Amino acid sequence: MIRHTMVLCVFVLLPPIADAAKVKVWQQIQPAHFDKAKFQNTLISSDGTIRLSRQVKPLANLEAAHVWSVLKDKLGNLYAATGDDGKIFKVSADGKTSIVYTGSDSQVLCLAQGPDGTIYAGTGPTGRLIRIAPDGVVKVLAENLDSYVWALVYDPASQTVLAGTGPKGRVFQITTEGKATVYYQTKQDHIMCLALGAKGGLYAGTDKGGLVYRIDGKGKGFVLYHAQQSEIKTLLVTDSAVYAGTSSPTRKPVSPGKTPGAGFSDTADDLFTVAFQEKASSPPSMPTVGDNSLYRIAPDGSVRELFRDRVLILSLLPHNGRLLVGSGMQGQLFEIDEKTKEKSEIARLDHGQIHCLLRRRDGAVVLGTGDPGKLYALDDRYTAKGTVLSDVLDAKIISKWGALNWKAEVPSGTALSVAVRSGNVAEPDATWSAWSAEQTDSNESKALAPAARYFQYRVTLRTDKPLETPHFKHFVLRYKTTNQAPEVTSLDVPDLEAVNQDAAKKIKIRWNAVDPNEDELTYQLFFKKEGWKDWVLLEEEFEKREFEWDTTTTPSGVYQFKVTASDRRDNAPEEALTAQRISNPFVVANGAPAVTLTVKGVNGGQASLEAGAADPLARLTEAAFSINGKRWRSIFPTDGIFDSKTEQFRFQTETLRPGTYVLMVRVRNAAGITGTADVLFTIAGKK
C-alpha cells in the first residue's frame, strides 16, 4: 500500500504570524536545486524525484588507479585491464584475485576475447598488443601500433584482431601470428572506440572532430555522424541502431569557416593526462567537463539525441530494455529510456569515473572504475538507508521558520522523514542547533529550528523491502524574516551654489531607500524653513522616490527636506518600522534680484551705463540689456565672473543716431528668476 503525503494550503500550515507579514518561500523542486546537496545512497531523477540508490557492492579492490576495460571468460572469471602500473587482473568466480600480466607500459587500455578464449590487450604509451592464451601463456603479439591502443575487437570473419590507435588515427589489423597492417587510416588523432556490427562492418569513434565511421570489409570508410563534441568515447552497436557517447572537455570556439566538430582541442591525451602521468612532480588537473551527449544513429542515418549532461560519457550497456550510461567525473550511473528519453540516475559512487560496464552470467552488472580502480557489482535491489543533505539556505537576516511541505510516495515497508537545523554561520558547525526530531507527515510538519539566518534540512529514506523505495520531491519551506528597519540611503536637493534651475516654479527632490526584508516602502515628505520649530507635512503614503515641489507656494528662505520611509504595508502595525533622512539646507528663492541702472554719460552717440544687482538668497548667473525692445546682448560683471549674490556692471551702447531710447537690463539668479531695471536717455543731434 502506498501512502501519499500531499501539500496543504499555506494558511493551514503557517505558524501564528501576522496576516499582513510577507512570507518568503524556499522551494527545492528541480534537479538543479540539488546541485550542492549531498547524496548518500540516494539519487535524483530528471523530474526532481529523490529515491534510494541501487546496491553497489565491491567485487575487488585491484590496487590500481583505473580499470579501463573488463571482460568475462566462459568460466565466469573476470579480467580487468588497469593503469597506472600496466597490469591485467583476474577475478575468479569465487572472488579470488590474481595478476595475470604485468608489462613495461603503464596502461593496459582495452581487452578483447577470441572464440577459443584467448585474451588480447592493448597498451600505452608504446602501443603493444598482448596475447594471453587459454593456458595462461603471455606473449607480446605486436609492437609499435602507434603510441596508444585505445580499443580492440576480434573479427571472427577474418580471424584477426582490429586495434584502434592514436595519435595517428589508424585502425590496425593483426593476425594471430602477430602480423600487423593498417586496415584503415583517418585524418583524426585517435580512434577511441571500436564495435562490430551484427551483420559485419566495423564502427569507429574518434577524437579531434568527433566522427563516427562505418568501415566495410574492404577497408572503405564512411562518416556516419559528425558530433558537436570533439570526442566519441564509446560505441554500442545493436541490430536496430548505433549508439555513440561523447566525452569531451569544454570545447574551444569553432574557427571561422570551420564546421562544428572541426578545430577542437585534442582531448584524448588531455582526458588521460593524470592517469598517464608517470611520477611527475606536479600533475596537471583534470580538464573542465562540458556538455556531452548520447546519440542514437538509425539505419537510415537519422540521429536523435537521447541524453545530455555535464559529464563524461565513458561506457554503455543495454540492460532490461534500457541503456546504462557510465560517466565521470562523479561516478554516476544513468539509466536511459530510449522511447521517452527519460534519464534516471540509478547509482552514484563516492569517487571517480565508471570506465566500463559488463553484464555477468548471473545478471548483475559489473562496473570498472577509476580514481581508484575497483570492480563493483550493481544489484537490482535498493540500499536499506540513504540521506540527502540540502544546500544551506541563506535568508540574509534572522528569520522565523514556518511550515515544511513535501510530496512523497511511501510504499509499505519503507519510511521517509525530514529533520531540520539552523545557525548563524554559513558552514554548519557546532554552533548550529541540533537536528530536530524526524517528521514524517507533511500535513502537520513545521520547521522546528530556532530563528537564525541559515537553514538546512535532511531527508532520510529507508526500506525493509529491497525491491521498494520511498520517493521524495517538491520540498517547500515558508519563513518570515525578522523585520528590520528600512534605510533612506540618499536624499538629493538642489544646491543653488552648484547648479542652476531651469524654471523657478518647481524643484526636483530625489531619494533612494532600501529594506533588508525587501518590504514595500511608502514615504512621508516634510519641509521646514530655517527658524521654524516644527516640520510641515507635504505628502504621506507617497510611493515614488522622486517629488516635484512647487516652491511658489512657500515663502523664500533656506529650507530642509525630510523623507520618512515606512514598511507598514508588509508588516503588522506593532511590527512596522520607519527610517528617515534630512537633507542639507537648500535655498527656495521666489523673489527677483534687485537691479539698479544709471546713465553715466553720452559721448559721440554712445551711452555709458552702470548697473548693479543683488539677491539675498541666490547667486547671480547671467545679465543682458536691450535697447528699444530689440535683441538682448549679454553683459558681464566688472570682475569678469558671475560668482556671488551681488554684481556690478559697466557697459556702453553702440553708436546711436539722435533720438530718445529706452534701455532695459535683466539679471537672472540661480533659481531661474529674473529682475529688471530700465532707463530713458536721449542722443542729441548736431546743431
Side-chain angles (χ1 to χ4, degrees):
M1 178 179 179
I2 297 178
R3 302 193 303 271
H4 293 276
T5 303
M6 304 302 294
V7 178
L8 294 185
C9 298
V10 62
F11 59 84
V12 175
L13 296 171
L14 282 176
I17 55 179
D19 292 339
K22 181 185 289 184
V23 175
K24 295 178 182 270
V25 178
W26 185 40
Q27 297 188 85
Q28 301 263 277
I29 300 174
Q30 302 174 0
H33 294 157
F34 294 89
D35 282 349
K36 296 182 179 179
K38 295 180 180 179
F39 292 82
Q40 183 175 13
N41 295 329
T42 52
L43 303 167
I44 186 166
S45 67
S46 56
D47 68 352
T49 300
I50 294 170
R51 63 178 185 272
L52 291 168
S53 63
R54 303 283 179 83
Q55 292 185 24
V56 179
K57 299 178 180 179
L59 276 180
N61 186 348
L62 305 180
E63 297 183 356
H66 295 269
V67 176
W68 298 117
S69 181
V70 63
L71 59 74
K72 64 179 182 297
D73 65 14
K74 295 178 181 179
L75 300 176
N77 300 308
L78 298 177
Y79 291 83
T82 71
D84 291 348
D85 293 328
K87 297 177 181 178
I88 299 175
F89 291 85
K90 177 181 176 181
V91 181
S92 64
D94 59 4
K96 295 181 180 179
T97 301
S98 59
I99 298 173
V100 297
Y101 171 77
T102 301
S104 58
D105 274 355
S106 62
Q107 309 295 326
V108 181
L109 296 166
C110 50
L111 297 172
Q113 190 172 25
D116 63 349
T118 298
I119 294 174
Y120 301 91
T123 74
T126 66
R128 292 179 174 180
L129 181 64
I130 309 300
R131 182 179 67 188
I132 305 175
D135 60 5
V137 176
V138 178
K139 178 182 178 181
V140 177
L141 191 62
E143 296 185 275
N144 300 318
L145 302 176
D146 290 343
S147 297
Y148 299 108
V149 178
W150 296 111
L152 292 174
V153 294
Y154 182 85
D155 180 16
S158 62
Q159 297 183 5
T160 60
V161 177
L162 299 173
T165 68
K168 296 181 181 180
R170 296 189 286 188
V171 178
F172 285 89
Q173 186 175 50
I174 305 99
T175 67
T176 54
E177 291 77 27
K179 181 181 178 181
T181 57
V182 175
Y183 183 74
Y184 188 73
Q185 172 74 62
T186 73
K187 293 183 180 180
Q188 301 294 294
D189 290 345
H190 300 268
I191 306 293
M192 300 302 302
C193 48
L194 294 173
L196 284 177
K199 298 179 181 180
L202 178 69
Y203 295 84
T206 73
D207 167 60
K208 182 179 181 181
L211 302 181
V212 178
Y213 287 87
R214 183 178 62 220
I215 307 166
D216 64 22
K218 298 180 180 179
K220 172 64 176 176
F222 176 77
V223 174
L224 198 62
Y225 184 59
H226 186 178
Q228 292 289 325
Q229 296 86 353
S230 62
E231 179 182 311
I232 305 294
K233 179 61 178 69
T234 182
L235 286 173
L236 172 65
V237 180
T238 69
D239 291 338
S240 59
V242 175
Y243 301 88
T246 72
S247 185
S248 297
T250 302
R251 61 190 176 121
K252 297 179 180 178
V254 178
S255 300
K258 291 191 177 182
T259 58
F264 295 109
S265 60
D266 297 337
T267 59
D269 285 331
D270 291 340
L271 177 60
F272 297 98
T273 296
V274 171
F276 293 178
Q277 195 74 20
E278 298 186 40
K279 300 181 181 179
S281 58
S282 56
S285 60
M286 292 296 279
T288 301
V289 179
D291 283 342
N292 283 291
S293 302
L294 173 62
Y295 298 104
R296 181 188 188 273
I297 309 169
D300 63 2
S302 61
V303 178
R304 188 158 63 105
E305 186 181 57
L306 300 179
F307 169 89
R308 178 186 293 180
D309 207 333
R310 294 187 68 83
V311 297
L312 301 173
I313 299 178
L314 303 176
S315 50
L316 297 173
L317 181 72
H319 182 66
N320 295 336
R322 301 193 177 189
L323 289 175
L324 296 184
V325 179
S327 72
M329 305 296 238
Q330 297 180 10
Q332 296 165 277
L333 182 65
F334 297 97
E335 184 179 69
I336 310 298
D337 186 326
E338 184 176 339
K339 294 180 180 179
T340 64
K341 294 173 52 174
E342 180 184 358
K343 174 189 73 175
S344 299
E345 185 181 348
I346 62 172
R348 181 181 297 196
L349 307 180
D350 58 4
H351 58 84
Q353 304 93 39
I354 302 175
H355 290 301
C356 49
L357 297 168
L358 174 73
R359 191 196 327 273
R360 292 197 311 192
R361 289 189 299 180
D362 62 2
V365 175
V366 176
L367 285 63
T369 71
D371 292 335
K374 294 184 179 182
L375 292 178
Y376 293 91
L378 174 71
D379 201 311
D380 285 338
R381 294 176 297 178
Y382 294 103
T383 57
K385 176 185 176 182
T387 60
V388 179
L389 189 62
S390 77
D391 188 14
V392 172
L393 166 66
D394 182 2
K396 306 303 182 184
I397 53 181
I398 303 297
S399 299
K400 299 176 183 177
W401 315 113
L404 297 177
N405 307 132
W406 64 85
K407 293 181 180 179
E409 294 179 2
V410 188
S412 176
T414 71
L416 186 150
S417 62
V418 177
V420 299
R421 63 180 177 178
S422 60
N424 285 315
V425 293
E427 290 291 332
D429 60 12
T431 67
W432 274 50
S433 68
W435 285 107
S436 70
E438 298 286 341
Q439 301 189 67
T440 59
D441 187 355
S442 179
N443 296 340
E444 300 294 337
S445 294
K446 294 180 175 61
L448 304 177
R453 173 174 172 173
Y454 300 98
F455 178 89
Q456 189 177 45
Y457 70 93
R458 181 187 66 201
V459 184
T460 302
L461 300 89
R462 294 182 174 86
T463 184
D464 294 328
K465 296 182 177 180
L467 298 181
E468 296 282 357
T469 177
H471 293 78
F472 172 93
K473 62 181 179 179
H474 205 111
F475 175 85
V476 178
L477 166 72
R478 304 181 192 277
Y479 65 98
K480 179 195 171 188
T481 53
T482 302
N483 196 32
Q484 295 190 359
E487 180 185 0
V488 183
T489 57
S490 65
L491 176 55
D492 298 323
V493 294
D495 180 5
L496 296 186
E497 291 299 320
V499 297
N500 301 334
Q501 287 182 217
D502 295 330
K505 293 184 178 180
K506 293 183 179 180
I507 64 173
K508 287 188 177 181
I509 298 173
R510 297 182 176 89
W511 62 93
N512 283 315
V514 295
D515 187 90
N517 306 87
E518 299 179 355
D519 290 334
E520 183 180 356
L521 299 179
T522 58
Y523 307 96
Q524 287 184 308
L525 311 180
F526 301 87
F527 67 91
K528 183 173 68 171
K529 184 181 177 183
E530 192 175 68
W532 293 357
K533 179 180 178 182
D534 299 316
W535 290 94
V536 177
L537 178 64
L538 183 61
E539 290 283 348
E540 58 183 340
E541 292 294 313
F542 193 73
E543 297 179 351
K544 299 180 180 179
R545 297 183 182 182
E546 179 179 288
F547 182 74
E548 279 195 345
W549 185 20
D550 182 359
T551 57
T552 62
T553 60
T554 58
S556 298
V558 178
Y559 284 79
Q560 286 181 292
F561 203 83
K562 180 171 73 173
V563 174
T564 299
S566 171
D567 61 9
R568 171 64 185 85
R569 287 190 178 180
D570 281 335
N571 292 278
E574 65 272 14
E575 294 184 354
L577 298 172
T578 62
Q580 67 179 27
R581 194 177 188 98
I582 298 174
S583 74
N584 293 325
F586 64 98
V587 168
V588 171
N590 291 323
V595 182
T596 61
L597 177 63
T598 59
V599 178
K600 301 302 292 182
V602 177
N603 184 21
Q606 289 182 308
S608 298
L609 300 102
E610 287 187 359
D615 192 292
L617 295 171
R619 61 187 174 82
L620 304 177
T621 60
E622 62 178 68
F625 74 91
S626 172
I627 300 175
N628 288 354
K630 296 182 179 180
R631 68 181 180 88
W632 291 97
R633 302 178 185 182
S634 297
I635 57 176
F636 296 90
T638 55
D639 62 2
I641 183 171
F642 288 98
D643 60 354
S644 67
K645 299 181 182 68
T646 302
E647 300 289 357
Q648 296 295 320
F649 307 89
R650 295 189 184 91
F651 60 96
Q652 286 184 324
T653 68
E654 72 272 23
T655 301
L656 302 172
R657 292 183 295 178
T660 300
Y661 296 88
V662 59
L663 185 145
M664 178 174 283
V665 169
R666 69 180 185 191
V667 180
R668 183 188 296 270
N669 65 14
I673 301 175
T674 300
T676 63
D678 59 83
V679 67
L680 193 68
F681 63 91
T682 300
I683 302 295
K686 294 182 179 179
K687 293 182 180 180

